[in-house]
Amino acid sequence: MTTSAATKNIRDGNARHLAVDLAVIGSGLAGFAASIFAVGRRIVTAQVGNTGAVAYTTGYLDLLGREDGSRTDVTDPWQALEKLAADQPDHPLANVPREDIREAFTQFTAFLGEGGLAYSRPGERNLTALTPAGTVKQTLCVPATMAAGCHAYAEKSPCVIVDFKGLKGFSGRQVAANLQARWPGLATARIDFPDIMTGEIYPEVMARALEVPATREKLAVRLKAAAGEAKIIGLPAVLGMHRPDLVKAELERLTGLVIFEIPTMPPSVPGIRLREMFEQVLPQKGVTLIPQQKITRLNFDADGATLSLADSFGPIELRARAVILATGRFLSGGLEAERTGIRETLLNLPVVQPDNRNHWYRDRYTDPRGHAIHRAGLAVDRAFRPLGSDGQPYDERLFAAGVILAHQDWIRGRSGAGIAIASAYKAVAEAEKFLSSRS
Amino acid sequence: MTPDIAPKASRNGTRTIATDVLIIGGGVTGAGVMRDLALRGLHTLLIDKRDLCAGASGGNHGLLHSGARYVASDPHSARECRQENELLKRLAPQCIEDTGGLFVAVDGDDPGFAEEFPVLCTKAAITCKELTPAEARGLEPKLSDRLVKAFRVPDATVDPFRLALENVAHARTLNGSVYLPHTEVLRFEIDRSEIRAAVCRDTRTGGLVKIVAGQYVNAGGAWAMNIAGLAGCRDVNLLYSKGTLLVSHDRLTRHVINRLRLPGDGDILVPGGTVSVLGTTSVRTDRLEQVAPTIEEIDINVREGSAMIPALAHARYIRAFSRVRPLLQSSSGDDREATRGFALIDHTSQGLTNFCTITGGKLTTFRLMAEKAADLVAARLGNSEPCRTAAEPLPDGEACRWTEPGGSPKYWYHAGKADDMILCECEMVPQSAIDEIVQNAPGAEEEMTLEAIALRSRAGKGPCQGSFCGIRICSYLYDRGHYRDATGLHHLRDFFNERFKGQKTVIWGRQAAQMELAEALHCGLLGLDALEENE
Amino acid sequence: MELLPEGASFEACLTCGLCSSGCPAAGIENMDPRKFIRMAMLGMDAELSTTPWVWCCTQCRRCQHVCPMNIDISQLVFLARGNWPQDQKPSGIVRSCQMIRSTDSTSAMGLPPSDFVFVVEDVLQEVRENQPAFAHLQAPMDKKGAHFFVNQNSREPMSEPDEMVPLWKILDLVGADWTYSSKGWAAENFCMFAGDEAAWYEVVKKRVDAVSDLGCQVWLNTECGHSYYTMWHGINRFGLSADFTLESLITWYARWIREGKLPVNSKWNTKNIKFTVQDPCMIVRKAFGEAIAEDMRFVVKTLVGEDNFIDMQPNRSANYCCGGGGGFLQAGMTDHRRTYGKRKFDQIMATGAAYVLTPCHNCHSQMEDIGHFYGGSYGVVHFWTLICLSLGILGENERTYLGPDLLALID
């Protein structure tokens, strides 16, 4: 637990006490986005949650990549949002004004950039980005280390996809074989990673090794040889962990090539970059971060909310005047799928869901219409307050954000980051309104 | 007789293959017939419209019956099972884990049945030893504390995939007999009292194959009635019973655990290497294709099984599957009472002299079924060689060992080769296994599908159900030049779709978390839900 | 023989590989945490109880830290170690455990109480005689009712006794009421590393008794990582009752500095020599967490100047184990230990720092060794050394670990 000067931290026998204005529960993109926006508005904030799952992020920030039920790509997300608002008024993205979504993405990517991970700013259209399977997808913002890949694809520039001996699940041949129809100038080459001759190798290991200048020099020699006549090369995402922009720039300097990276399957580097950066930078910005613990109980009383948790030293009681619930879905434990139904795990809030589990999944996995289980979640009012069983907000101090919200399918819609960032922005704005109305 | 197999024909041409015996149906029975005939010097061609064990052979408990289960309802079957059980343990040990079995009754089960049970076992010469509940729970701590009776019997578990692979591989070794997957019979060309040829279609390419044989064996399992019908035969009468089983993440018991009562739903829990298989149900159906588990069947299995083993109520399940059993029609209403015996139909009453159907039966008695069919076929061909499958051990075929649970991790570990990387992390299947399978396994071919590779190994059978390893194996196959275009990607999509069928009804709890991650990866990142459908 | 502990959540594993990706032991003996857990689930207990990898996993718990399901694979490794036949365990670790149990000192080098008392007395005398500013210096032994019970790694009294002195000076300067104990004084505990629960318990019990006998309020852990963890975790695990608190010297350095009792500052660092800091797994990730990582950084920045501190990446609870713990230094598996340490070496090199500060003996030894092996030129120092350096009170014989650049700064 990192302490910040702004929080009051009192030792009381066994339990440690903290008091903040805003408590964010959840350590996914929505939780971190909420903290970022809260910091921007100078709200005294604590964030709690088990961090692990943010490491699965690919690095791409999808606002809206596909229209529901269709197999066609969304190239203009802003326009698609208009249609979405008309067709699906309960969708979380329908309830955040477009200017706010744009502002949210701008602030979020600016924060990432200040934290050492440069990102492209949200544009007017989606970017077509590469995947490790040799398919492409629509996304709004990409890490600067990946941007040249989008550009090379758009231009169909001659390019060599370089992969590494020992790296499983990433095959340059596969990428080239599947893109060759659209991108004939694509070739592939395999190289060794410096100092690792046998056995398997993880992207994380390569990325960290490239933080050391000597490793970069050795790799540059191999990259130049692999590039041949091409001026642009694509790699799996291994361009450093802490300072990817520096690593990329240095390799480009050493090789004279333009270099971009492509996300890999888990365990992948871009997600780890985000996790490590958030965990270091947010405390520096004044957020009290307790990143490895889950809340065991959340109570509301006349004066505020109490969040109970514990670390290896014993109990911690966190008092907050407002709470944002951004605990995610099944993977992160915000929702639990039981045989009898889907349950929200912290407060047992009512979950909008199919009437029984027969209807959770369609028969065909890749059905473009997606599966109803993913649309289950928390219903919220216009202020992003989750509803209780009477259809009214559960508590005026409780807000919800992220993919725990109902009426969206972030997987099929390619809208995970969009929902997380936009709803977090709105939830924080509403929480701020509430807090100032009570101060 | 040597095979006459033309090089891969174009879509427009029909190639012709000649053989001594065409066997239709790649379940364990068909594979058994293939080997039995090969041991007698006869060349065979085995075909299946999908792949090995695509029917009941690939969707059962994997139980090598001691026979005890049938002592009350079908004593003849019980005895057959006992005999075959002993034979197979001796002759095919690589396919079998001799776990032993328990029959257990809990509070509320029929005491009369429990009384009769040991008597009937003795009558059928099946070793049956009574244990006190405490002794039984000492052997199996997960048994319910409401246990009232327990008996120990020589049940064992068998890997039907390996059994089929080894039989086919041995036939190939003996005389070049061939197995062709994705080959479906369209029609027979019949001249007077003989089938002259079977006209088949390769369901992958659409190309036609004409198979000319001296004898034709229908080992089509649940499809036997349809296949016989193609030959104009009306003397195969089957009922279809759908059974659903589920696979748990962990192996919960060492022994096979049977409920000590008349056969009913959810009354057997069979260890399958590193997992346990719970089942089964019996639902009359008239559908042969697209059978899938239902939520009701899952819940019934879990409820009934939990009475014996309470941990089943909270276990993580990774897969459920349904298959159709062919039952010979009987007069009683209860499908479980329909005889589990088998029938060999020689079709002379239908005017054919070179066609027969072997159907009904169960996994445990496949060798016996194959023997009967092979005796008939050999005699009709004037071959007087005796059956040797009751004496000849089943050898370890090339590339057949990878279906053994826990087999490839042990192999990989002891080989200690750092460059032989593990592709399926759950079941620890290395690159070399994939290489071997793609090059040498029965049914191996160019651009083999991921599903076919998975069938011949444990890849995709662990908790991730292929969601990660499918990607790694696919990439590896591109690296090896096995895939050279978008075909691999389509196979990947198909593989996940196929795996999903088995998961759909057991996605809850931890499996829901696993699937959320999988779908985010497959659809959200890789866009496999957007590939063109018709390729 | 069942390797999987009851009630463990291993069935939550998604086989995503984040554990293996973030583990410095991944690839050694062709193993990694994901494979280890799968082999346990696949019932390969025999292999797991004989793979040398269990002696290469330092049980640093980074796998658990990065796992979205919070699965603790190191638990399995500990059990596997316990399953090894005693005569096949790495003899260095076993011997160290035997030595610890051989005298009341609980010293892994077998230094009996009387010898320890003698060495302390001897060195103290020398300091009093040769360093006039410290003519009155104390090193109390067996002082009943003292506030702090201070433990001591055996390495110093056995092979470099002068290295004990900086801490004495610090404690003297802040006016701490402290004592050594002739019984149960040693810090190290190889019995946990040997997978020997019974022995681990015995050692912890002896130390707890020693503290209770003297009636001290605080057991103050010296600059040693696993000594804190084995004591703290052991007390909880074995249900021992301890009438005192367990605290780390780091926490107290930070406190004394804040209270003005330890007037360190960075003015001495006129050449802006760069420092980084190692987060010992046993104190940070496995025990106190971020709070002590923050305290440590506060101390370092005060000592060397904020701009002269370059954090490693990753750091704090996410930092990598250096490979010195878990008995690795005593296991006789040098090649593997150095392979393991490559990530730490890269981390240090990426900072460009001239020195690594660490409050852990095992980290100290390992980082020195891998530095030499991989051709780095950084030095490794304990906090007490640098504190005394900054206060200008570092005696001549207390400068062993200073490089020429630091030595040049001393008048």
Side-chain angles (χ1 to χ4, degrees):
Chain A
M1 181 180 75
T2 54
T3 56
S4 140
T7 63
K8 285 159 270 187
N9 184 355
I10 313 136
R11 280 199 167 265
D12 173 20
N14 251 341
R16 276 148 293 154
H17 294 270
L18 293 154
V20 295
D21 289 330
L22 178 66
V24 175
I25 309 178
S27 302
L29 278 186
F32 283 121
S35 286
I36 289 167
F37 298 135
V39 160
R41 292 166 193 254
R42 303 196 194 297
I43 303 171
V44 176
T45 305
Q47 184 184 348
V48 191
N50 188 39
T51 343
V54 81
Y56 294 134
T57 328
T58 61
Y60 292 148
L61 299 178
D62 300 341
L63 168 54
L64 190 61
R66 174 111 0 119
E67 257 177 54
D68 271 351
S70 101
R71 222 187 261 117
T72 43
D73 289 336
V74 163
T75 50
D76 182 344
W78 308 107
Q79 193 181 71
L81 280 174
E82 258 189 62
K83 185 166 190 295
L84 183 87
D87 294 344
Q88 299 181 57
D90 289 329
H91 194 289
L93 289 175
N95 287 291
V96 184
R98 278 188 304 164
E99 323 74 75
D100 285 356
I101 298 180
R102 200 188 288 270
E103 177 59 22
F105 265 81
T106 303
Q107 282 185 24
F108 188 80
T109 51
F111 183 92
L112 297 180
E114 280 163 33
L117 304 175
Y119 261 73
S120 66
R121 292 288 181 268
E124 289 310 311
R125 301 178 69 79
N126 275 332
L127 299 165
T128 303
L130 304 171
T131 80
T135 53
V136 295
K137 65 169 285 180
Q138 298 299 303
T139 190
L140 187 62
C141 301
V142 305
T145 51
M146 298 183 187
C150 305
H151 193 72
Y153 175 78
E155 302 287 307
K156 305 298 186 288
S157 321
C159 171
V160 176
I161 304 292
V162 178
D163 68 18
F164 292 97
K165 177 172 174 292
L167 175 59
K168 304 191 297 201
F170 187 97
S171 162
R173 284 191 181 182
Q174 178 174 2
V175 176
N178 284 289
L179 286 175
Q180 65 196 6
R182 284 172 280 184
W183 195 356
L186 203 56
T188 176
R190 169 159 295 185
I191 62 175
D192 285 338
F193 192 83
D195 301 325
I196 298 176
M197 294 304 145
T198 56
E200 59 181 277
I201 178 167
Y202 286 92
E204 176 173 350
V205 176
M206 293 190 266
R208 298 205 197 267
L210 286 172
E211 295 279 345
V212 180
T215 318
R216 293 197 285 266
E217 278 155 33
K218 293 182 198 169
L219 181 63
V221 172
R222 291 159 167 79
L223 289 177
K224 269 205 294 234
E229 295 298 307
K231 295 278 163 264
I232 306 177
I233 59 172
L235 302 176
V238 297
L239 293 176
M241 188 66 83
H242 179 58
R243 296 166 303 183
D245 304 309
L246 173 77
V247 171
K248 175 170 100 76
E250 280 296 294
L251 282 172
E252 288 180 328
R253 180 181 65 77
L254 290 165
T255 57
L257 301 167
V258 171
I259 305 179
F260 65 87
E261 38 171 40
I262 302 170
T264 64
M265 62 177 288
S268 76
V269 165
I272 299 172
R273 284 177 189 149
L274 283 173
R275 179 185 175 172
E276 289 187 359
M277 189 273 281
F278 286 141
E279 286 186 348
Q280 288 184 53
V281 173
L282 282 169
Q284 289 165 14
K285 301 269 183 189
V287 174
T288 300
L289 191 65
I290 310 176
Q292 281 294 97
Q293 306 299 336
K294 280 191 160 172
I295 301 283
T296 51
R297 220 179 46 232
L298 173 58
N299 284 330
F300 288 91
D301 58 45
D303 302 314
T306 308
L307 296 81
S308 308
L309 63 153
D311 63 14
S312 45
F313 280 84
I316 299 172
E317 296 262 299
L318 177 61
R319 288 283 297 169
R321 294 169 53 217
V323 178
I324 296 181
L325 188 68
T327 44
R329 304 183 66 80
F330 310 110
L331 185 57
S332 42
L335 296 175
E336 173 88 18
E338 294 169 345
R339 277 195 286 147
T340 45
I342 299 169
R343 198 172 52 85
E344 184 276 316
T345 55
L346 191 53
L347 291 170
N348 223 354
L349 294 168
V351 176
V352 175
Q353 58 184 293
D355 54 8
N356 74 68
R357 81 176 205 270
N358 261 313
H359 302 133
W360 285 0
Y361 281 97
R362 294 184 194 278
D363 287 334
R364 190 165 161 79
Y365 179 56
T366 54
D367 192 314
R369 295 168 297 175
H371 304 289
I373 189 177
H374 299 309
R375 297 187 161 270
L378 301 182
V380 292
D381 68 1
R382 307 234 120 220
F384 279 79
R385 288 186 167 97
L387 306 181
S389 38
D390 58 357
Q392 296 304 307
Y394 177 86
D395 191 289
E396 59 176 348
R397 293 157 295 190
L398 180 67
F399 303 85
V403 293
I404 196 177
L405 300 174
H407 307 301
Q408 51 81 19
D409 183 344
W410 68 276
I411 297 176
R412 297 319 173 99
R414 279 66 163 166
S415 52
I419 292 166
I421 293 169
S423 64
Y425 185 86
K426 187 77 192 287
V428 170
E430 292 293 336
E432 186 188 37
K433 247 195 273 174
F434 168 77
L435 288 170
S436 19
S437 75
R438 292 307 162 90
S439 55
Chain B
M1 183 173 185
T2 50
D4 183 355
I5 302 182
K8 197 168 168 179
S10 68
R11 277 179 181 247
N12 301 319
T14 303
R15 61 182 174 124
T16 302
I17 310 174
T19 182
D20 291 332
V21 184
L22 171 64
I23 304 165
I24 303 162
V28 288
T29 310
V33 174
M34 186 186 194
R35 178 187 175 231
D36 193 326
L37 290 173
L39 281 166
R40 305 185 205 214
L42 291 166
H43 183 274
T44 65
L45 188 62
L46 174 71
I47 63 173
D48 193 287
K49 69 173 181 170
R50 290 187 56 195
D51 203 343
L52 295 174
C53 298
S57 290
N60 54 68
H61 261 118
L63 176 49
L64 192 69
H65 285 285
S66 58
R69 186 171 169 82
Y70 301 108
V71 289
S73 56
D74 190 347
H76 178 75
S77 282
R79 254 173 265 121
E80 271 174 2
C81 283
R82 174 186 49 80
Q83 283 159 354
E84 290 299 309
N85 175 305
E86 287 162 13
L87 265 176
L88 288 176
K89 278 177 183 167
R90 207 165 23 87
L91 299 173
Q94 74 274 44
C95 301
I96 290 167
E97 186 189 346
D98 198 357
T99 58
L102 298 178
F103 271 80
V104 301
V106 298
D107 227 344
D109 287 345
D110 174 16
F113 187 92
E115 284 270 330
E116 279 244 353
F117 181 74
V119 177
L120 294 169
C121 283
T122 308
K123 262 208 201 137
I126 296 171
T127 324
C128 169
K129 177 175 190 288
E130 178 159 7
L131 304 172
T132 65
E135 283 169 339
R137 305 214 4 249
L139 284 178
E140 294 290 352
K142 290 206 160 66
L143 284 169
S144 166
D145 52 15
R146 296 179 57 230
L147 203 64
V148 296
K149 270 286 201 201
F151 295 94
R152 196 172 185 175
V153 296
D155 282 339
T157 67
V158 61
D159 175 0
F161 294 95
R162 184 149 190 196
L163 211 50
L165 285 165
E166 298 286 20
N167 273 276
V168 172
H170 194 203
R172 179 173 63 182
T173 309
L174 286 168
N175 63 2
S177 290
V178 172
Y179 162 61
L180 289 182
H182 51 78
T183 303
E184 178 179 13
V185 177
L186 292 178
R187 62 180 183 278
F188 293 105
E189 287 174 0
I190 299 176
D191 181 21
R192 284 181 291 238
S193 61
E194 285 197 335
I195 300 178
R196 295 292 178 193
V199 178
C200 310
R201 182 183 56 197
D202 179 333
T203 60
R204 270 182 76 180
T205 64
L208 294 179
V209 184
K210 186 159 162 169
I211 303 170
V212 176
Q215 290 286 323
Y216 296 78
V217 178
N218 174 13
W223 288 264
M225 192 161 75
N226 294 2
I227 295 167
L230 286 179
C233 295
R234 302 205 184 304
D235 53 348
V236 178
N237 288 303
L238 297 176
L239 293 174
Y240 304 138
S241 161
K242 170 194 171 203
T244 289
L245 301 102
L246 38 166
V247 180
S248 64
H249 176 274
D250 297 343
R251 178 173 174 155
L252 294 167
T253 66
R254 280 175 40 227
H255 296 73
V256 176
I257 311 288
N258 300 271
R259 192 77 172 267
L260 189 58
R261 65 178 186 193
L262 278 170
D265 289 334
D267 58 2
I268 321 183
L269 182 70
V270 179
T274 55
V275 300
S276 284
V277 184
L278 171 65
T280 171
T281 53
S282 178
V283 180
R284 183 77 71 82
T285 179
D286 45 26
R287 281 176 69 170
L288 286 178
E289 312 294 341
Q290 317 281 26
V291 287
T294 64
I295 305 272
E296 290 72 36
E297 287 175 285
I298 300 299
D299 288 349
I300 287 170
N301 275 326
V302 173
R303 186 189 67 224
E304 292 297 316
S306 307
M308 298 190 292
I309 309 243
L312 288 168
H314 304 289
R316 175 180 174 182
Y317 294 97
I318 58 179
R319 183 169 175 74
F321 52 90
S322 304
R323 294 296 165 95
V324 176
R325 305 173 192 87
L327 300 176
L328 295 172
Q329 270 205 28
S330 87
S331 46
S332 110
D334 183 351
D335 284 353
R336 289 202 147 91
E337 281 200 12
T339 173
R340 293 308 305 279
F342 60 89
L344 174 64
I345 301 154
D346 64 19
H347 299 304
T348 47
S349 68
Q350 307 289 299
L352 285 176
T353 58
N354 69 345
F355 184 49
C356 70
T357 294
I358 178 81
T359 188
K362 60 184 64 54
L363 175 58
T364 302
T365 54
F366 88 96
R367 189 214 61 83
L368 181 62
M369 293 167 67
E371 176 181 335
K372 299 298 175 205
D375 281 347
L376 175 64
V377 166
R380 283 173 163 181
L381 286 172
N383 175 309
S384 56
E385 291 293 319
C387 170
R388 287 167 43 202
T389 61
E392 190 87 17
L394 183 64
D396 273 323
E398 232 183 320
C400 293
R401 58 186 160 150
W402 299 107
T403 63
E404 182 186 338
S408 77
K410 284 206 163 77
Y411 158 75
W412 169 83
Y413 178 85
H414 292 288
K417 294 196 198 116
D419 280 334
D420 188 13
M421 301 196 295
I422 296 274
L423 294 178
C424 167
E425 292 277 355
C426 295
E427 296 287 320
M428 300 183 74
V429 182
Q431 289 171 340
S432 57
I434 305 300
D435 286 338
E436 240 187 70
I437 288 169
V438 165
Q439 280 150 33
N440 284 322
E445 56 188 347
E446 252 186 74
E447 290 191 322
M448 198 165 171
T449 66
L450 291 175
E451 189 60 30
I453 295 168
L455 190 109
R456 289 155 175 77
S457 66
R458 295 282 306 168
K461 301 202 168 126
C464 92
Q465 287 291 295
S467 55
F468 289 132
C469 63
I471 299 172
R472 285 189 287 259
I473 295 173
C474 186
S475 302
Y476 181 67
L477 291 171
Y478 272 100
D479 284 347
R480 302 296 267 163
H482 181 83
Y483 296 133
R484 291 170 297 279
D485 57 24
T487 303
L489 213 54
H490 284 84
H491 286 178
L492 187 62
R493 188 265 320 274
D494 294 341
F495 178 60
F496 294 143
N497 276 325
E498 198 53 43
R499 289 277 105 198
F500 177 75
K501 287 182 193 164
Q503 288 202 76
K504 187 185 152 182
T505 46
V506 294
I507 299 176
W508 71 73
R510 307 244 196 248
Q511 208 58 19
Q514 185 90 56
M515 284 310 288
E516 185 181 314
L517 180 57
E519 207 178 327
L521 182 56
H522 302 155
C523 301
L525 176 64
L526 301 183
L528 294 177
D529 57 337
L531 289 183
E532 289 314 310
E533 285 297 332
N534 51 11
E535 249 177 293
Chain C
M1 175 255 315
E2 272 293 325
L3 198 60
L4 292 172
E6 272 303 313
S9 62
F10 298 109
E11 54 144 38
C13 174
L14 303 171
T15 67
C16 72
L18 276 167
C19 54
S20 301
S21 174
C23 170
I28 299 177
E29 294 286 334
N30 221 6
M31 283 292 293
D32 60 47
R34 173 167 52 177
K35 292 183 173 49
F36 200 85
I37 192 177
R38 286 311 302 160
M39 286 168 70
M41 304 303 280
L42 293 168
M44 295 170 70
D45 291 356
E47 284 83 358
L48 293 181
S49 299
T50 48
T51 169
W53 194 78
V54 304
W55 303 102
C56 303
C57 161
T58 60
Q59 293 163 70
C60 78
R61 289 235 195 112
R62 192 167 194 282
C63 48
Q64 184 185 21
H65 181 82
V66 298
C67 173
M69 301 292 161
N70 252 302
I71 296 172
D72 182 12
I73 299 169
S74 71
Q75 229 189 105
L76 284 180
V77 173
F78 178 75
L79 289 173
R81 284 193 183 193
N83 280 332
W84 274 57
Q86 195 69 2
D87 59 342
Q88 281 166 40
K89 293 182 182 177
S91 55
I93 302 178
V94 174
R95 227 183 4 256
S96 296
C97 178
Q98 282 165 354
M99 294 284 244
I100 288 177
R101 301 168 75 185
S102 67
T103 76
D104 277 344
S105 300
T106 66
S107 157
M109 291 177 162
L111 190 67
S114 49
D115 288 9
F116 175 60
V117 172
F118 176 79
V119 170
V120 169
E121 255 306 309
D122 195 49
V123 171
L124 184 65
Q125 271 312 111
E126 216 179 286
V127 171
R128 283 174 174 171
E129 280 160 23
N130 299 329
Q131 300 187 45
F134 291 98
H136 61 279
L137 187 64
Q138 306 288 317
M141 184 68 66
D142 292 333
K143 177 179 171 195
K144 272 202 178 313
H147 186 74
F148 292 109
F149 178 114
V150 177
N151 63 358
Q152 175 64 55
N153 270 94
S154 296
R155 187 173 79 195
E156 280 91 4
M158 281 293 280
S159 32
E160 35 183 36
D162 289 300
E163 286 291 318
M164 292 191 286
V165 180
L167 181 57
W168 300 348
K169 290 175 176 173
I170 292 168
L171 293 168
D172 180 71
L173 197 60
V174 302
D177 174 21
W178 71 282
T179 186
Y180 276 138
S181 164
S182 57
K183 265 178 41 180
W185 56 265
E188 64 278 359
N189 189 340
F190 288 91
C191 299
M192 184 182 84
F193 296 150
D196 188 343
E197 273 211 61
W200 175 12
Y201 164 78
E202 194 190 291
V203 175
V204 172
K205 178 93 177 40
K206 231 181 209 168
R207 292 172 181 178
V208 169
D209 287 346
V211 180
S212 303
D213 286 349
L214 291 178
C216 300
Q217 275 107 61
V218 178
W219 176 82
L220 188 63
N221 187 52
T222 186
E223 291 190 24
C224 174
H226 79 277
S227 68
Y228 180 83
Y229 182 78
T230 52
M231 186 76 158
W232 171 68
H233 190 58
I235 288 174
N236 287 325
R237 192 185 182 101
F238 305 126
L240 292 167
S241 70
D243 227 344
F244 49 89
T245 60
L246 301 169
E247 306 196 16
S248 164
L249 207 42
I250 295 297
T251 314
W252 282 90
Y253 288 156
R255 189 160 155 174
W256 289 322
I257 292 173
R258 290 193 179 106
E259 291 174 353
K261 290 182 176 166
L262 201 54
V264 299
N265 60 65
S266 58
K267 293 198 193 106
W268 61 274
N269 195 2
T270 50
K271 298 291 181 206
N272 290 319
I273 298 171
K274 302 288 183 263
F275 289 78
T276 186
V277 83
Q278 158 67 348
D279 297 286
C281 313
M282 297 283 186
I283 302 175
V284 181
R285 176 169 48 253
K286 291 178 77 169
F288 290 94
E290 310 291 83
I292 206 168
E294 288 306 320
D295 276 345
M296 203 167 59
R297 281 157 175 81
F298 167 72
V299 174
V300 177
K301 287 180 194 172
T302 316
L303 269 178
V304 310
E306 191 155 341
D307 293 340
N308 296 320
F309 168 65
I310 321 284
D311 221 331
M312 282 188 214
Q313 292 295 337
N315 54 58
R316 298 175 173 78
S317 291
N319 208 334
Y320 277 117
C321 177
C322 62
F328 224 159
L329 284 163
Q330 290 71 27
M333 301 165 86
T334 310
D335 288 344
H336 285 341
R337 176 173 55 75
R338 286 170 174 163
T339 302
Y340 186 112
K342 180 62 161 56
R343 285 202 211 194
K344 180 57 62 186
F345 178 76
D346 282 351
Q347 281 184 283
I348 299 171
M349 294 306 282
T351 65
Y355 289 90
V356 188
L357 274 165
T358 181
C360 171
H361 276 64
N362 280 336
C363 296
H364 194 290
S365 302
Q366 170 72 344
M367 290 190 295
E368 277 221 315
D369 183 70
I370 58 180
H372 295 142
F373 182 72
Y374 287 110
S377 55
Y378 58 83
V380 188
V381 282
H382 276 280
F383 277 78
W384 48 54
T385 307
L386 210 65
I387 290 174
C388 288
L389 171 71
S390 80
L391 294 170
I393 56 174
L394 197 60
E396 254 186 64
N397 295 341
E398 299 149 31
R399 302 173 189 177
T400 318
Y401 291 98
L402 302 185
D405 49 357
L406 283 178
L407 287 170
L409 296 176
I410 302 176
D411 298 328

